[in-house]
Amino acid sequence: TVSIDGDASSSSSQNVPMHSLRLSAIRELIETEQRYVDDLSIVTNQFIRPLNSARALNEQEIGQLFINWFDLIALNSNLLNALHAQVDYKEALPLTGSDVVMRAPRSASLSNI
């Protein structure tokens, strides 16, 4: 695992604000990605499926309107899962260098996620 809490030689008082900012940014990234995946799913459940079930549009028309919708859901769900798998954060106080740990990726390629 790779710690993302800053330089170990820095003083403790400098690490806490930097650590807090990083922790906040990581949480915001994960929460934003979760909201995006949820929104993609809402469109699927509230629009695409009813349009398909009611036969208001044929498969080709739905495919044209929502050209890569299911690809977006799959990609962003995988990204969200990878973020959760790679980032382990704790809610403990006081903040220490072990509160946020980011694991090194298996590969730099996005094909892994």
Side-chain angles (χ1 to χ4, degrees):
T1 61
V2 177
S3 176
I4 61 170
D5 65 0
D7 185 2
S9 64
S10 298
S11 72
S12 178
S13 63
Q14 291 173 340
N15 279 343
V16 172
M18 179 60 83
H19 178 74
S20 295
L21 289 173
R22 287 181 180 177
L23 184 58
S24 177
I26 290 167
R27 284 184 185 142
E28 183 177 345
L29 177 64
I30 291 173
E31 290 168 4
T32 300
E33 193 62 30
Q34 181 65 60
R35 284 192 304 273
Y36 183 60
V37 169
D38 291 345
D39 289 346
L40 290 171
S41 296
I42 288 170
V43 171
T44 299
N45 294 329
Q46 298 298 317
F47 294 99
I48 297 174
R49 286 191 180 136
L51 285 170
N52 192 30
S53 295
R55 305 216 185 263
L57 299 173
N58 64 39
E59 291 290 327
Q60 182 181 6
E61 292 168 326
I62 289 174
Q64 289 174 339
L65 285 173
F66 303 98
I67 190 165
N68 62 346
W69 204 262
F70 296 102
D71 293 334
L72 286 172
I73 291 173
L75 176 69
N76 290 91
S77 294
N78 287 339
L79 174 60
L80 183 60
N81 289 335
L83 287 171
H84 279 294
Q86 295 295 317
V87 178
D88 178 23
Y89 58 89
K90 301 173 187 163
E91 301 293 332
L93 289 176
L95 295 175
T96 67
S98 64
D99 285 337
V100 177
V101 175
M102 188 164 185
R103 294 176 189 90
R106 293 183 304 255
S107 168
S109 171
L110 285 177
S111 64
N112 287 349
I113 55 175

